[in-house]
Amino acid sequence: MATVDVDLPHVKDEDPHHHGPAKGIGRWLFTTNHKDIGSMYLIFSLCMFMIGGIMALIIRAELFQPGLQLVEPNFFNQMTTMHGLIMVFGAVMPAFVGLANWMIPMQIGAPDMALPRMNNWSFWILPFAFLILLSSLFMPGGAPNFGWTFYAPLSTTYAPESVTFFIFGVHIMGASSIMGAINIIATILNMRAPGMTLMKMPLFVWTWLITAFLLIAVMPVLAGVVTMMLMDIHFGTSFFNAAGGGDPVLFQHVFWFFGHPEVYIMILPAFGIISEIIPTFARKRLFGYSSMVYAVASIALLSFVVWAHHMFTVGMPLVGEVFFMFATMLIAVPTGVKVFNWIATMFRGSMTFETPMLFALAFVVLFTIGGFSGLMLAIAPADFQYHDTYFVVAHFHYVLVPGAIFSIMAATYYWLPKWTGHQLNETMGKFHFWLSFVGVNVTFFPMHFVGLAGMPRRIPDYALQFADFNSMASVGAFIFGFSQLVFIYNIIQNVRVGEKATAQVWEGANGLEWTIPSPAPYHTFSTPPKVD
Amino acid sequence: MQESVKTKRLVVRLATAAVLMFGFGFALVPLYEVFCDITGLNGKNFTQGPAAITAVDRSRTVKVQFVTVNPAEMPWEFKPTERTMRVFPGEDKVTAFYAKNPTPEWMVAQAVPSVTPSEAAQYLHKVNCFCFDRQPLDAGADTEMPLVFVVDPELPKHITTITLSYALYDLTETDNQQVTLRSQDNDKGRASL
């Protein structure tokens, strides 16, 4: 990003028209303040991360040994399903929306989001969506147990009755995401400070702009596919029912038309965050700013023509397999551009290794490992061996946990002093980082091996030869899971106490958000700054 | 204010885009059908009725395998009378499938075909097939259902085996509701229901 020279007329809360937050619960229920809403999104996401994490630990506890020890197979399936849904829609996506709410107005010099009331609404429908989804755990027949990808007819003809609640939950989350995306696009396109041209925007803003367009393009398709399920289940249609002339394979096509862009929705903002953090701690400008922007845009465009690589084994003709194989591999090119740019940014920089930087570096290394296993999966003839094995599980957890989740943790540590006004406790931050880093790798790396050896995913029991690697993965999962208590402790401690943070916070940080005092006042940039 | 007009216009456009994409999700259903029809992918594309084939290609034979599948709740006995056949491309062949309704109730079923490899689907012509119609069977009754087919001599040389699979679905409950739908389908001459 270009160095931003700012002329700040006033940023303090002295204007008589400005007021602080309202008192009591009403502040949170009726707030239209982007910082309040951002905080609520982040706290909500953290709660969901913990709930989804408990489910993951139930899964790993059952898989610690071969045989059935702790849970019924049906409950195990409910856990894998709910874990996936909650982590994707409840933890990762709201966390990025929360970061967008907090940071985008501050990074582009806007006083708030473009549509503050809709912002309030798009947050407040989310807890209800997840209450509906989680309530299905207590219903007769249990929660959805058909996997987070809810393939028909497993999710229609053979689904537990609670599937209808799942469908409405997905509708509400979809509505929330679409409203959030509209708000973000309107903010970025219309509310930038004078002089903040598109190509001067911080990369976090750029990646979110592109992500928001992806959300608007595919969340309605998800709403469409669950609506078709609803109609198949309750209104006698046969979209996915072969007996009525429908086609279950159609479900997979429509789902993955949503699903593949969705996985980029979960990683593009992460790219943005990493592109903010690495220059700060390398004390150099980001290498290849414009190539980064174009790389993100081309990844987003390519995401629409690769969906069938999730379904190489459904019986596609050779032409289809070849097309989707090469289209998928093409994505490695812009992704490679990004990885090399991050490395070039660090090259000969004067680097320091504060907690956000450690998470960012782990992101670059571990996300790249996940990217490479993705390339392996993209090879259509080899995919027949990998399909539906733990190799797939290892792959997407490598891109989502040390990818998306680590970037969210990095962002939290990076911007926390700006939010709370307290400097980070580096010792505790590093403690959290190393526990998480070791935990993640011990959990997910062995999954590559059992996957290649043929262990199928989504099963509560497995053959004896997989026992060692599985117990190793379970130990890692518990280390990673419990180390998140350190994360929560760090956040709470930082809110409560800590050395007073300066406006600059990090020596090498650049951008409008570092020109306002820490903690950021309730209202910022009421008068737009001038960016040269 | 200029700014709010701009924002309003943008929001309307974005919301419209979201609504259109919702529609696009549904449009994928007919698009998928059309795509499969044109390309013959997914083993769905069957030409039916007498095919304009005169020459019989006696230089090679093709193995045709018959497979039957009963979905979980389908109690009928359903199997091919012959499991495999060797046919010359261009030659009319007749075979039959056996079905029995072992339940104490009258039932209606229909078979839905699928061809593997899907590339071969458009070269398998069904002159007459029990799968074109619904099959009613009284309690305990059984029947042999005929299939007349011809493999197109244009069939690519590398395909030496074609598998024709039928899944038999119970339509007793939906029978009355879907009569109109079915007759429309028959007018259009669609093989799959």
Side-chain angles (χ1 to χ4, degrees):
Chain A
M1 192 197 98
T3 316
V4 184
D5 298 316
V6 192
D7 163 30
L8 275 178
H10 62 99
V11 285
K12 286 233 173 76
D13 230 6
E14 287 156 358
D15 194 313
H17 297 296
H18 292 181
H19 49 85
K23 296 274 174 277
I25 185 80
R27 165 178 179 185
W28 303 104
L29 286 177
F30 308 120
T31 183
T32 55
N33 182 290
H34 72 100
K35 299 182 183 82
D36 283 352
I37 293 171
S39 303
M40 289 196 294
Y41 263 113
L42 288 168
I43 293 164
F44 173 78
S45 147
L46 188 61
C47 297
M48 286 295 135
F49 181 58
M50 289 297 141
I51 294 174
I54 290 168
M55 291 170 176
L57 292 187
I58 293 174
I59 293 168
R60 282 318 320 173
E62 174 58 51
L63 292 175
F64 183 66
Q65 283 182 342
L68 293 176
Q69 284 92 21
L70 298 171
V71 294
E72 297 285 317
N74 186 39
F75 186 72
F76 182 90
N77 290 344
Q78 294 173 32
M79 287 294 103
T80 54
T81 307
M82 297 292 274
H83 164 72
L85 291 168
I86 284 173
M87 287 304 198
V88 168
F89 295 105
V92 176
M93 288 170 70
F96 282 133
V97 180
L99 291 169
N101 261 295
W102 249 105
M103 300 320 299
I104 287 177
M106 277 159 56
Q107 289 190 317
I108 62 172
D112 205 311
M113 299 293 281
L115 307 152
R117 281 174 203 282
M118 192 168 86
N119 204 12
N120 173 295
W121 201 39
S122 56
F123 171 75
W124 272 113
I125 59 177
L126 261 192
F128 294 95
F130 282 89
L131 270 182
I132 290 173
L133 186 63
L134 285 169
S135 70
S136 64
L137 278 167
F138 306 100
M139 289 176 191
N145 56 2
F146 31 68
W148 86 273
T149 53
F150 49 100
Y151 280 8
L154 200 56
S155 62
T156 52
T157 316
Y158 306 101
E161 306 230 1
S162 62
V163 65
T164 309
F165 288 84
F166 153 79
I167 290 171
F168 284 132
V170 170
H171 275 140
I172 300 173
M173 296 161 208
S176 163
S177 295
I178 292 167
M179 287 193 291
I182 290 177
N183 207 346
I184 286 166
I185 295 175
T187 308
I188 298 175
L189 293 186
N190 286 347
M191 312 242 324
R192 295 193 310 278
M196 175 67 78
T197 59
L198 283 177
M199 290 311 270
K200 270 189 193 169
M201 293 194 312
L203 260 170
F204 180 65
V205 180
W206 251 117
T207 51
W208 242 114
L209 178 66
I210 291 164
T211 304
F213 277 108
L214 283 183
L215 278 168
I216 288 182
V218 301
M219 289 310 283
V221 176
L222 173 71
V225 74
V226 293
T227 308
M228 288 180 220
M229 279 168 56
L230 187 75
M231 290 161 84
D232 270 13
I233 295 167
H234 293 291
F235 306 125
T237 58
S238 296
F239 285 105
F240 308 127
N241 181 4
D247 192 333
V249 177
L250 170 68
F251 176 90
Q252 299 186 26
H253 281 291
V254 185
F255 177 81
W256 285 113
F257 184 84
F258 146 79
H260 202 77
E262 166 69 17
V263 304
Y264 292 133
I265 287 167
M266 292 190 284
I267 205 65
L268 294 186
F271 289 168
I273 291 164
I274 301 307
S275 305
E276 303 280 312
I277 292 175
I278 288 181
T280 297
F281 296 98
R283 290 166 182 78
K284 272 176 68 191
R285 279 170 56 177
L286 183 69
F287 184 87
Y289 171 88
S290 47
S291 68
M292 287 298 224
V293 173
Y294 295 126
V296 172
S298 39
I299 292 172
L301 287 176
L302 284 173
S303 73
F304 286 102
V305 293
V306 297
W307 76 89
H309 67 212
H310 295 271
M311 30 194 297
F312 279 142
T313 59
V314 293
M316 242 193 295
L318 197 60
V319 189
E321 309 242 328
V322 170
F323 170 78
F324 285 109
M325 173 167 99
F326 284 117
T328 305
M329 289 181 166
L330 202 56
I331 295 184
V333 177
T335 313
V337 167
K338 299 196 73 72
V339 172
F340 283 118
N341 279 350
W342 289 322
I343 294 169
T345 307
M346 289 184 270
F347 183 65
R348 310 189 90 174
S350 52
M351 300 216 296
T352 49
F353 300 92
E354 286 88 341
T355 310
M357 183 62 163
L358 289 175
F359 275 102
L361 291 175
F363 173 96
V364 174
V365 175
L366 300 181
F367 176 81
T368 305
I369 293 177
F372 279 132
S373 59
L375 269 179
M376 289 172 72
L377 287 161
I379 303 168
D383 180 72
F384 281 68
Q385 165 78 13
Y386 308 146
H387 191 88
D388 257 349
T389 67
Y390 257 83
F391 191 77
V392 179
V393 177
H395 158 69
F396 69 72
H397 280 95
Y398 255 88
V399 288
L400 284 176
V401 185
I405 300 277
F406 269 24
S407 83
I408 293 164
M409 288 171 178
T412 308
Y413 284 125
Y414 184 55
W415 283 311
L416 201 58
K418 181 56 65 189
W419 303 337
T420 64
H422 296 136
Q423 285 292 13
L424 216 57
N425 180 342
E426 280 295 332
T427 318
M428 287 305 288
K430 286 184 173 126
F431 181 56
H432 173 224
F433 168 76
W434 285 111
L435 277 179
S436 295
F437 181 81
V438 171
V440 151
N441 285 296
V442 174
T443 310
F444 298 115
F445 212 81
M447 290 184 187
H448 290 110
F449 306 135
V450 288
L452 287 176
M455 176 169 162
R457 62 191 282 206
R458 291 173 176 154
I459 49 153
D461 187 9
Y462 50 85
L464 288 177
Q465 68 266 35
F466 305 129
D468 292 349
F469 281 135
N470 268 291
S471 55
M472 202 188 286
S474 292
V475 170
F478 277 85
I479 296 174
F480 181 72
F482 282 95
S483 66
Q484 300 325 308
L485 297 177
V486 182
F487 185 41
I488 294 177
Y489 171 84
N490 286 352
I491 294 170
I492 293 172
Q493 278 301 99
N494 192 271
V495 171
R496 289 177 61 232
V497 291
E499 205 183 310
K500 177 102 184 72
T502 59
Q504 180 63 26
V505 183
W506 311 104
E507 186 196 349
N510 238 316
L512 284 181
E513 77 262 40
W514 308 110
T515 63
I516 47 188
S518 309
Y522 200 56
H523 296 283
T524 43
F525 297 128
S526 304
T527 316
K530 191 150 164 26
V531 184
D532 305 311
Chain B
M1 199 175 134
Q2 177 68 23
E3 189 83 334
S4 69
V5 173
K6 235 173 89 186
T7 304
K8 200 179 244 175
R9 199 185 303 140
L10 181 65
V11 169
V12 169
R13 278 188 197 155
L14 293 172
T16 314
V19 172
L20 287 178
M21 284 312 291
F22 184 73
F24 177 74
F26 281 85
L28 281 174
V29 180
L31 283 176
Y32 176 77
E33 293 280 324
V34 170
F35 188 77
C36 291
D37 258 4
I38 294 171
T39 56
L41 300 186
N42 218 21
K44 267 196 158 186
N45 185 26
F46 307 100
T47 40
Q48 55 172 293
I53 295 166
T54 43
V56 178
D57 177 2
R58 297 206 179 269
S59 65
R60 59 171 170 160
T61 57
V62 177
K63 189 164 147 193
V64 182
Q65 302 176 315
F66 302 103
V67 176
T68 57
V69 179
N70 274 18
E73 299 90 20
M74 185 58 182
W76 286 22
E77 214 177 294
F78 177 48
K79 59 187 181 195
T81 52
E82 290 161 283
R83 297 233 164 249
T84 57
M85 287 178 119
R86 283 223 158 258
V87 304
F88 293 113
E91 170 192 32
D92 276 348
K93 274 289 190 182
V94 184
T95 184
F97 285 68
Y98 173 82
K100 180 176 183 183
N101 174 7
T103 66
E105 272 134 45
W106 175 87
M107 284 178 75
V108 184
Q110 181 153 15
V112 175
S114 167
V115 173
T116 310
S118 56
E119 197 186 349
Q122 54 183 314
Y123 300 102
L124 188 74
H125 303 280
K126 293 177 179 169
V127 181
N128 194 5
C129 175
F130 61 94
C131 60
F132 297 169
D133 295 302
R134 290 168 181 233
Q135 305 293 330
L137 271 185
D138 284 327
D142 63 352
T143 181
E144 286 211 347
M145 306 179 293
L147 166 69
V148 184
F149 70 94
V150 50
V151 175
D152 200 303
E154 307 269 301
L155 180 77
K157 292 271 190 284
H158 67 267
I159 300 177
T160 53
T161 306
I162 300 176
T163 308
L164 176 56
S165 161
Y166 285 102
L168 191 67
Y169 289 100
D170 176 8
L171 294 182
T172 314
E173 274 180 34
T174 47
D175 195 39
N176 295 328
Q177 298 164 16
Q178 292 197 352
V179 168
T180 44
L181 187 95
R182 183 182 136 215
S183 58
Q184 275 169 3
D185 262 16
N186 281 354
D187 291 345
K188 281 194 292 180
R190 295 286 311 266
S192 52
L193 177 76

